Amino acid sequence: MGKDSVSRKNVKKRKKKKSIMRRILSLLLLVLIVGGAYFGYLLYSTIEAANNSYSELERGEKSKLRAQSVEVSKDPFSILLLGIEDYASEGKQGRTDSIIVATFNPTDSTMKLLSIPRDTRVYIDSKGREDKINHAYGSGGKDSTIEAVEDFLEIPIDHYATVDFDGFKDIVDELGGVTVDVPFDFWEKSDETNERLYFTEGEMHLSGEEALAYARMRKRDPRGDFGRNDRQKQIIEASIDQAMSPATLLKIDTIVDHIGENVETNLRLTQALAIQKKFPNFNSSNIESLSLEGSDDYINGIYYFEPSEESLSEVKEELKTHLGEENITTETSEN
């Protein structure tokens, strides 16, 4: 074989390699363009959702129990999570079906969850008297509820988030459902069809509709509101684990749409991103659940839950410590 023939073959091989490299580079470029466009769309969707869901409190950003404003990227902070029974009423007739206080400490990347029984008797400033804590929303919306919780627990509520039932179901469905450990066999009627949904003891994967029924049932729970509160915290922990999974990334656009339509919060987009950056590997193992102990009481034939002084004092102290007592004032309402 002559040198010219060998040379031509080498040239052809080099051309073929260059052609293959060009195709690979073109494919990578296409992936980058599509990926860049997709993430650009996600960013735009997230900003839009944040704008739609953002709602400032009448008091402004700082709690009356804070000596100074907190930065979620470095300071311990709290969020009040409210499940609204009639979100469309905009606080005029709706009630809080769930009242959950979450405190975050960036030093050890931990979170504490306290579910306040909705029949807890507290002083409600907007009513000018004592009443069930879930009635605060009907008389003064989220601002009245936050004030009642602050006076009750003597801790600052830095941020809040409300969600209606439709939004809750949609978000859980977009997450791919949640897995919980059902404590006993029971049934609860569907919010959509009014048909019975059955839950069996042990691990179960729940859809949005099932998760809502699971979180709301209390009549067939031997522990009543307390068992219900524990199941609500289960749903929150399971949702956090599911939200942190890689598969959630591909659904983020539809998730943020549901958030924008059904969630109201005073967390800004930059603050939400700072929280995610501060707690990148956060999951349910970082969460500790707290509970209030007390007794049943009837006043004028109306049922109330009365926390014991010892239990309430312990919970207050634990939450204050978790939030960093050095930035908490002793100011409370006169009542």
Side-chain angles (χ1 to χ4, degrees):
M1 184 181 294
K3 291 183 178 179
D4 291 341
S5 178
V6 173
S7 179
R8 283 195 297 270
K9 285 186 176 182
N10 289 336
V11 170
K12 285 182 180 179
K13 286 182 180 179
R14 285 196 296 268
K15 285 183 177 180
K16 188 176 182 180
K17 287 181 180 179
K18 287 181 180 180
S19 177
I20 293 172
M21 286 302 298
R22 279 197 296 269
R23 290 177 185 176
I24 293 174
L25 289 173
S26 298
L27 180 60
L28 288 174
L29 181 60
L30 179 62
V31 170
L32 289 174
I33 291 173
V34 172
Y38 176 67
F39 283 106
Y41 166 71
L42 291 185
L43 179 60
Y44 172 78
S45 299
T46 303
I47 292 172
E48 282 295 296
N51 290 336
N52 291 337
S53 64
Y54 183 82
S55 178
E56 187 58 89
L57 292 168
E58 291 179 3
R59 72 176 192 197
E61 291 190 1
K62 187 175 78 69
S63 164
K64 66 182 180 181
L65 298 183
R66 283 292 189 191
Q68 58 188 23
S69 299
V70 297
E71 294 182 38
V72 296
S73 60
K74 64 178 183 179
D75 299 321
F77 64 95
S78 63
I79 298 178
L80 183 64
L81 307 173
L82 303 174
I84 308 303
E85 194 169 17
D86 185 6
Y87 190 80
S89 67
E90 297 181 351
K92 297 175 183 177
Q93 298 175 344
R95 292 185 302 177
T96 44
D97 197 62
S98 306
I99 305 171
I100 299 176
V101 177
T103 60
F104 296 80
N105 192 306
T107 303
D108 53 9
S109 295
T110 58
M111 169 181 167
K112 293 185 186 292
L113 275 182
L114 171 69
S115 184
I116 303 176
R118 62 182 186 175
D119 294 322
T120 304
R121 188 161 69 100
V122 302
Y123 182 82
I124 300 175
D125 192 57
S126 58
K127 283 178 167 283
R129 59 182 172 83
E130 290 186 329
D131 202 345
K132 296 183 180 184
I133 194 168
N134 72 324
H135 291 176
Y137 191 87
S139 65
K142 55 185 180 289
D143 294 271
S144 177
T145 304
I146 288 171
E147 185 174 25
V149 171
E150 286 189 328
D151 291 342
F152 175 59
L153 295 176
E154 297 178 3
I155 64 165
I157 297 299
D158 301 305
H159 298 286
Y160 80 92
T162 67
V163 61
D164 72 314
F165 292 155
D166 286 336
F168 172 86
K169 290 185 290 187
D170 290 343
I171 291 170
V172 170
D173 281 336
E174 290 299 340
L175 288 173
V178 293
T179 300
V180 297
D181 187 13
V182 181
F184 55 88
D185 295 351
F186 68 90
W187 61 267
E188 177 68 359
K189 286 187 177 181
S190 164
D191 184 61
E192 293 180 5
T193 64
N194 208 36
E195 295 178 353
R196 291 187 180 186
L197 299 174
Y198 292 89
F199 302 87
T200 54
E201 183 177 351
E203 189 174 282
M204 282 188 69
H205 191 75
L206 309 180
S207 66
E209 181 184 2
E210 292 168 334
L212 178 60
Y214 182 79
R216 295 191 69 187
M217 190 280 289
R218 70 169 179 167
K219 291 182 179 179
R220 281 162 292 282
D221 193 317
R223 297 176 60 230
D225 219 19
F226 298 98
R228 179 176 175 273
N229 292 342
D230 286 345
R231 280 180 277 109
Q232 289 176 353
K233 287 184 282 190
Q234 264 190 312
I235 294 292
I236 291 176
E237 294 174 8
S239 297
I240 289 174
D241 285 342
Q242 196 71 8
M244 292 298 181
S245 68
T248 301
L249 179 62
L250 298 176
K251 303 176 182 178
I252 194 68
D253 55 335
T254 50
I255 291 174
V256 295
D257 282 344
H258 292 309
I259 290 174
E261 294 170 1
N262 300 289
V263 174
E264 190 177 279
T265 182
N266 66 337
L267 267 173
R268 299 181 187 277
L269 176 61
T270 52
Q271 292 173 316
L273 293 174
I275 293 172
Q276 193 279 330
K277 184 177 181 180
K278 193 69 180 179
F279 300 87
N281 300 312
F282 191 84
N283 56 53
S284 57
S285 64
N286 301 92
I287 301 174
E288 179 186 358
S289 291
L290 307 179
S291 60
L292 286 167
E293 297 179 0
S295 58
D296 300 335
D297 195 10
Y298 287 88
I299 301 176
N300 298 323
I302 299 174
Y303 169 78
Y304 295 93
F305 170 69
E306 295 281 359
S308 70
E309 289 186 11
E310 182 181 2
S311 176
L312 182 57
S313 179
E314 289 177 357
V315 167
K316 285 179 181 179
E317 196 61 38
E318 191 160 355
L319 292 177
K320 285 181 182 179
T321 301
H322 198 234
L323 287 172
E325 295 183 78
E326 66 277 0
N327 191 21
I328 299 178
T329 72
T330 56
E331 178 188 349
T332 58
S333 70
E334 294 180 359
N335 295 282

